[in-house]
Amino acid sequence: MTQTGNDSGAHYAVHWQEEEYIQPPASFIGQANMTDPGVFERFSLDNFPECFKEFADLLDWDQYWHTTLDTSDAPCWKWFVGGKLNASYNCVDRHLAKYKNKTAIHYVPEPEDEPIVHMTYQELYRRVNETAAVLRDFCGLKAGDRVTLHLPMTPELPITMLACARLGIIHSQVFAGFSGQACGERIWDSESRILITMDGYYRNGKLLDHKAIGDLAVEVAKKEGQEVDKVLIWQRYPGKISSKTPMVEGRDYFMNDLLKQYAGIKVEPVSMPAEGILFLMYTSGSTGRPKGVQHSIGGYLAYVAWMSKVIQDIHPEDVYWCMADIGWITGHSFIVYGPLAVAASTVIYEGLPTYPDAGRVWRIAEELDVNIFHTSPTAIRGLRKAGPDEPAKYNYNFKHMTTVGEPIEPEVWRWYYNVVGKGRAAIVDTWWQTETGGFLCSTVPGLSPMKPGSAGPGVPGIHPVIFDNEGNEIPAGAGKAGNICISNPWPGLMQTIWKDRERYVSTYFRKYCKDENSKDWRDWPYMAGDAAVVSSDGYVRILGRVDDVINVAGHRLGTKEIESAALTVEDVAEAAVIAAKDEIKGTVPDLYVSLKPGYTASNELAARISNAVSTVVGKIARPRAVHIVPDMPKTRSGKIMRRILASISNKGDVGDVTSLANPEVVEEIRKQVKE
Ligand code: ATP
Ligand code: MG
C-alpha cells in the first residue's frame, strides 16, 4: 500500500505494507489479568476523570482523596487531591502479611560465578527501614529534600529509592554510566546536598571504580554553585575496592559503617499528600539538554501499578525481568515501583546482556524461570546480531514480552516473537516517555491481537489524537502521519519540569493549546514530539521524532519506515537514516547500516539495500548513499543518535560526543564517509 496525500508539508505520506494480526496464545488469555472487553468503555472520555479511581484503588491510602482531578493550575494537573499515602509502604510493608517470605528482588551479579541473591519482602523491608534511618537520623533529611543517587544495577538502588520514598525525600537517580560531569550538572539542577553512590560495579567483565566519578560530580556541582555536604558510599565488595580518590574526612561515609548503629530499626512511613513529589528523572537527552521530569506520588504510583498488572500482566507468582537500567524511567516504573506495588518478584541484572557471551540472558531466564521479559529494540537487535540461534539452546518459557524505547522494525519484532518467545508469548510494544510515567499506547495483551511494528491503540484511559502542523485532526485510516498528542490528562503524567514550568508548557502544550488561560483540560492536548500514523483499526505506528522526519522534494518520510525497509535485507543488523542536504531536493535520505556478524560489506550489498528501500517505501526514499559502518553511535540508554550521523553526512561539527555509549565509533564513521 502506498498512499501519498496532497502533501503541502502539513503532514507526511505513509508508504508501507500493513502487517497481519497475530493473536495472543490461548494459554496466555486463559491466565491474563485483564480479559474484560468492557475496559475500554469504562475508560472512555465520558467516564473521565472518575474512571481513574480504578487505578488509585490498587493502592493503600492513609486518607482517601476528595477530588479526582483538579485543573485549576492547568496544565499542571493535580490527581487524587486530598489523598494521603506512602509509596514505600505500598511497595513493601503492605505485602508482608501475605508475601513476607516471597522473593521481592532476584539480584544477578555480572560475574557468573557469584551467587544470585534472592531477597524476600521481609528482607527488603528491613533494609529499607535501616537505610531510611541513615537518611533521617544521620543526614537530617526530611520530606521535600532532594538527594542524587548515582547507583549501578544492584539491590542497593531500589532500597535507597524506597528509603527516600518512605520519608517523602525526592530522589533523583542518575544513570551510573553517566560521567561525573553529567552527574554533577544534575546534582546542581536538582539542588541536592547529598550524593549516594557505590564503590564499584561490574560492566563487561571489568570492576569499575565508581566512587572516583562521584568525586568529580561533587566538584562539578560545586563549580556551578551547589555544595554537597555528604557523600554516602554503598560497598559492592566491602573492604575490597580501593578507589583512586581517597575518602574525604567529614564528607564521605561508607553506608555499611553507618548502618551498623541502625540494625533492626523501624522507620514509620511518612504519610504524604498524593500530589507530593516522588522523584525527578532527567530525560535521556536524545534531542537536547535533559529535562528534570517531576513525578508525583499518588498519580504516578497508581498509574504504574495498574499498567504493571494489566499491560505487563504481572501476578505475584510470576518471575518478571525488565532488562532496562533503573537509571532510566523504564527501570523506575517497571523494575521498581510498578512491579513492587503489585507484589512481583523482580529481577535486577548488574551487567551487559552479551557478557560473557550471547547466551547469558537466556541462561538467566532458564535459571530463574523468568516468565515475563521486558527489553528494548536495541537490546533485541544486539542479541539477534550476536547470537541469532542462542535462545533455542535454553529451556525457558516466556508467557509475555515487552519492547520499549524506540520503534521496532517488523523484521526484528518477528525474531523476538519467533526465536526469543518461541512463538508462545504475547508481545506488547509499549510507546511512552519519561514524561508520561507509564505506557501511552500498547495492546492489552489478553484482549487485543498484536501487529508487528505497531504499538497498538491508546491504553485504557489514554486517548491519542494526531494533528497536522495547523492543528487539524488527521482521522484514523487517512494514511497520513502527524504529531501524536494525547487528548486528556492522566495520573502518570509528570507534574512539571523541575523549576521550569515555562519549559513544561512550551515543550508539551503550547503548539496545540487552544487557550492558555483555559482551565479546561480539553484545551490542553499533550504533545509528545513523535511522528505517528493511526490505521483504521486504531493502531498507532510511531515513525520517529518529529524533528527527524526527512523532507524530500516536499514528501515527508518517517525515519522508521525507511529503516524497516533496510532491515528486510537479511544481512542488516541495524539501520539509521538521516536527512542529508541536497541542492536540488532540499534534503535526501542517507542511510547508515551495520551488519550481522559473518556478513561482509560490498557494493552489491549496498545496492541491494538501496533497492529494498525503493521497493518497500518508494523511489522517493531511495538513499543517496548507503554507508555500511561497524556500529551506530548510541546514547547511554541505547538509542541511535541520528543527529550525529546527520552532522557527519552534512560535513558539520558532531559536537560533544563524550556522552555517547561508544564515542570511538564516530571518528571511524567520519573517516569512512569522507573517503
Ligand atoms: P529526550 O527527550 O531528552 O530527547 P528521549 O526522548 O530519548 O530523550 P525517553 O523519554 O527515554 O527520552 O524516550 C522517549 C521516546 O522514545 C519517545 O518519545 C519515542 O520517540 C521513543 N519510544 C519509546 N518507546 C517507543 C516505542 N515503543 N515505539 C516507538 N518509539 C518509542
Ligand atoms: Mg523525549
Side-chain angles (χ1 to χ4, degrees), residues 640-654:
I640 299 175
M641 283 286 260
R642 293 182 184 74
R643 179 170 65 70
I644 296 207
L645 296 171
S647 308
I648 294 176
S649 274
N650 295 318
K651 313 263 182 286
D653 178 11
V654 293

PDB file of all heavy atoms in Angstrom, residues 640-654:
ATOM      1  N   ILE A 640      19.800   5.067  18.964  1.00  0.00           N
ATOM      2  CA  ILE A 640      20.676   5.520  17.886  1.00  0.00           C
ATOM      3  C   ILE A 640      20.618   7.045  17.813  1.00  0.00           C
ATOM      4  O   ILE A 640      19.545   7.631  17.802  1.00  0.00           O
ATOM      5  CB  ILE A 640      20.232   4.891  16.556  1.00  0.00           C
ATOM      6  CG1 ILE A 640      20.334   3.361  16.637  1.00  0.00           C
ATOM      7  CG2 ILE A 640      21.052   5.446  15.393  1.00  0.00           C
ATOM      8  CD1 ILE A 640      19.824   2.623  15.428  1.00  0.00           C
ATOM      9  N   MET A 641      21.802   7.692  17.771  1.00  0.00           N
ATOM     10  CA  MET A 641      21.871   9.155  17.712  1.00  0.00           C
ATOM     11  C   MET A 641      21.926   9.600  16.254  1.00  0.00           C
ATOM     12  O   MET A 641      23.005   9.774  15.680  1.00  0.00           O
ATOM     13  CB  MET A 641      23.111   9.650  18.457  1.00  0.00           C
ATOM     14  CG  MET A 641      22.957   9.628  19.948  1.00  0.00           C
ATOM     15  SD  MET A 641      21.883  10.971  20.508  1.00  0.00           S
ATOM     16  CE  MET A 641      23.114  12.135  21.055  1.00  0.00           C
ATOM     17  N   ARG A 642      20.763   9.796  15.658  1.00  0.00           N
ATOM     18  CA  ARG A 642      20.718  10.191  14.248  1.00  0.00           C
ATOM     19  C   ARG A 642      21.353  11.556  14.027  1.00  0.00           C
ATOM     20  O   ARG A 642      21.915  11.837  12.976  1.00  0.00           O
ATOM     21  CB  ARG A 642      19.277  10.180  13.755  1.00  0.00           C
ATOM     22  CG  ARG A 642      18.708   8.778  13.714  1.00  0.00           C
ATOM     23  CD  ARG A 642      17.303   8.713  13.197  1.00  0.00           C
ATOM     24  NE  ARG A 642      16.837   7.335  13.285  1.00  0.00           N
ATOM     25  CZ  ARG A 642      16.499   6.750  14.440  1.00  0.00           C
ATOM     26  NH1 ARG A 642      16.554   7.428  15.581  1.00  0.00           N
ATOM     27  NH2 ARG A 642      16.120   5.488  14.449  1.00  0.00           N
ATOM     28  N   ARG A 643      21.262  12.427  15.044  1.00  0.00           N
ATOM     29  CA  ARG A 643      21.813  13.781  14.947  1.00  0.00           C
ATOM     30  C   ARG A 643      23.302  13.747  14.586  1.00  0.00           C
ATOM     31  O   ARG A 643      23.777  14.550  13.795  1.00  0.00           O
ATOM     32  CB  ARG A 643      21.598  14.456  16.311  1.00  0.00           C
ATOM     33  CG  ARG A 643      22.110  15.841  16.449  1.00  0.00           C
ATOM     34  CD  ARG A 643      21.594  16.463  17.763  1.00  0.00           C
ATOM     35  NE  ARG A 643      22.082  15.823  18.996  1.00  0.00           N
ATOM     36  CZ  ARG A 643      23.335  15.893  19.438  1.00  0.00           C
ATOM     37  NH1 ARG A 643      24.236  16.563  18.758  1.00  0.00           N
ATOM     38  NH2 ARG A 643      23.694  15.297  20.560  1.00  0.00           N
ATOM     39  N   ILE A 644      24.037  12.788  15.154  1.00  0.00           N
ATOM     40  CA  ILE A 644      25.479  12.704  14.911  1.00  0.00           C
ATOM     41  C   ILE A 644      25.752  12.242  13.487  1.00  0.00           C
ATOM     42  O   ILE A 644      26.608  12.786  12.795  1.00  0.00           O
ATOM     43  CB  ILE A 644      26.121  11.761  15.942  1.00  0.00           C
ATOM     44  CG1 ILE A 644      25.913  12.418  17.308  1.00  0.00           C
ATOM     45  CG2 ILE A 644      27.568  11.431  15.598  1.00  0.00           C
ATOM     46  CD1 ILE A 644      26.907  12.102  18.348  1.00  0.00           C
ATOM     47  N   LEU A 645      24.974  11.251  13.044  1.00  0.00           N
ATOM     48  CA  LEU A 645      25.141  10.773  11.672  1.00  0.00           C
ATOM     49  C   LEU A 645      24.817  11.892  10.688  1.00  0.00           C
ATOM     50  O   LEU A 645      25.482  12.050   9.663  1.00  0.00           O
ATOM     51  CB  LEU A 645      24.245   9.554  11.433  1.00  0.00           C
ATOM     52  CG  LEU A 645      24.609   8.327  12.291  1.00  0.00           C
ATOM     53  CD1 LEU A 645      23.545   7.246  12.152  1.00  0.00           C
ATOM     54  CD2 LEU A 645      25.985   7.770  11.903  1.00  0.00           C
ATOM     55  N   ALA A 646      23.807  12.692  11.012  1.00  0.00           N
ATOM     56  CA  ALA A 646      23.436  13.813  10.133  1.00  0.00           C
ATOM     57  C   ALA A 646      24.587  14.805  10.035  1.00  0.00           C
ATOM     58  O   ALA A 646      24.910  15.287   8.949  1.00  0.00           O
ATOM     59  CB  ALA A 646      22.174  14.494  10.646  1.00  0.00           C
ATOM     60  N   SER A 647      25.253  15.089  11.147  1.00  0.00           N
ATOM     61  CA  SER A 647      26.387  16.021  11.102  1.00  0.00           C
ATOM     62  C   SER A 647      27.501  15.459  10.233  1.00  0.00           C
ATOM     63  O   SER A 647      28.150  16.193   9.496  1.00  0.00           O
ATOM     64  CB  SER A 647      26.964  16.273  12.492  1.00  0.00           C
ATOM     65  OG  SER A 647      25.964  16.654  13.358  1.00  0.00           O
ATOM     66  N   ILE A 648      27.719  14.155  10.316  1.00  0.00           N
ATOM     67  CA  ILE A 648      28.778  13.552   9.502  1.00  0.00           C
ATOM     68  C   ILE A 648      28.425  13.672   8.016  1.00  0.00           C
ATOM     69  O   ILE A 648      29.222  14.127   7.208  1.00  0.00           O
ATOM     70  CB  ILE A 648      29.010  12.078   9.900  1.00  0.00           C
ATOM     71  CG1 ILE A 648      29.559  12.013  11.337  1.00  0.00           C
ATOM     72  CG2 ILE A 648      29.967  11.398   8.917  1.00  0.00           C
ATOM     73  CD1 ILE A 648      29.747  10.612  11.876  1.00  0.00           C
ATOM     74  N   SER A 649      27.196  13.303   7.659  1.00  0.00           N
ATOM     75  CA  SER A 649      26.775  13.380   6.255  1.00  0.00           C
ATOM     76  C   SER A 649      26.866  14.798   5.728  1.00  0.00           C
ATOM     77  O   SER A 649      27.204  15.026   4.583  1.00  0.00           O
ATOM     78  CB  SER A 649      25.333  12.905   6.105  1.00  0.00           C
ATOM     79  OG  SER A 649      25.291  11.519   5.965  1.00  0.00           O
ATOM     80  N   ASN A 650      26.528  15.759   6.595  1.00  0.00           N
ATOM     81  CA  ASN A 650      26.475  17.154   6.145  1.00  0.00           C
ATOM     82  C   ASN A 650      27.771  17.900   6.432  1.00  0.00           C
ATOM     83  O   ASN A 650      27.806  19.120   6.368  1.00  0.00           O
ATOM     84  CB  ASN A 650      25.279  17.864   6.775  1.00  0.00           C
ATOM     85  CG  ASN A 650      23.976  17.266   6.278  1.00  0.00           C
ATOM     86  OD1 ASN A 650      23.842  16.974   5.099  1.00  0.00           O
ATOM     87  ND2 ASN A 650      23.029  17.050   7.175  1.00  0.00           N
ATOM     88  N   LYS A 651      28.814  17.130   6.753  1.00  0.00           N
ATOM     89  CA  LYS A 651      30.149  17.676   6.996  1.00  0.00           C
ATOM     90  C   LYS A 651      30.128  18.775   8.055  1.00  0.00           C
ATOM     91  O   LYS A 651      30.823  19.776   7.970  1.00  0.00           O
ATOM     92  CB  LYS A 651      30.769  18.249   5.693  1.00  0.00           C
ATOM     93  CG  LYS A 651      30.639  17.336   4.477  1.00  0.00           C
ATOM     94  CD  LYS A 651      31.912  16.524   4.267  1.00  0.00           C
ATOM     95  CE  LYS A 651      31.864  15.635   3.043  1.00  0.00           C
ATOM     96  NZ  LYS A 651      31.028  14.430   3.163  1.00  0.00           N
ATOM     97  N   GLY A 652      29.246  18.584   9.017  1.00  0.00           N
ATOM     98  CA  GLY A 652      29.149  19.588  10.086  1.00  0.00           C
ATOM     99  C   GLY A 652      29.948  19.132  11.297  1.00  0.00           C
ATOM    100  O   GLY A 652      30.629  18.105  11.274  1.00  0.00           O
ATOM    101  N   ASP A 653      29.810  19.905  12.376  1.00  0.00           N
ATOM    102  CA  ASP A 653      30.514  19.593  13.609  1.00  0.00           C
ATOM    103  C   ASP A 653      29.657  18.598  14.396  1.00  0.00           C
ATOM    104  O   ASP A 653      28.478  18.855  14.639  1.00  0.00           O
ATOM    105  CB  ASP A 653      30.676  20.918  14.384  1.00  0.00           C
ATOM    106  CG  ASP A 653      31.347  20.704  15.722  1.00  0.00           C
ATOM    107  OD1 ASP A 653      31.870  19.591  15.942  1.00  0.00           O
ATOM    108  OD2 ASP A 653      31.328  21.645  16.533  1.00  0.00           O
ATOM    109  N   VAL A 654      30.234  17.458  14.784  1.00  0.00           N
ATOM    110  CA  VAL A 654      29.427  16.467  15.517  1.00  0.00           C
ATOM    111  C   VAL A 654      29.186  16.881  16.962  1.00  0.00           C
ATOM    112  O   VAL A 654      28.377  16.289  17.660  1.00  0.00           O
ATOM    113  CB  VAL A 654      30.042  15.045  15.510  1.00  0.00           C
ATOM    114  CG1 VAL A 654      30.032  14.479  14.115  1.00  0.00           C
ATOM    115  CG2 VAL A 654      31.426  15.032  16.104  1.00  0.00           C
TER     116      VAL A 654
END
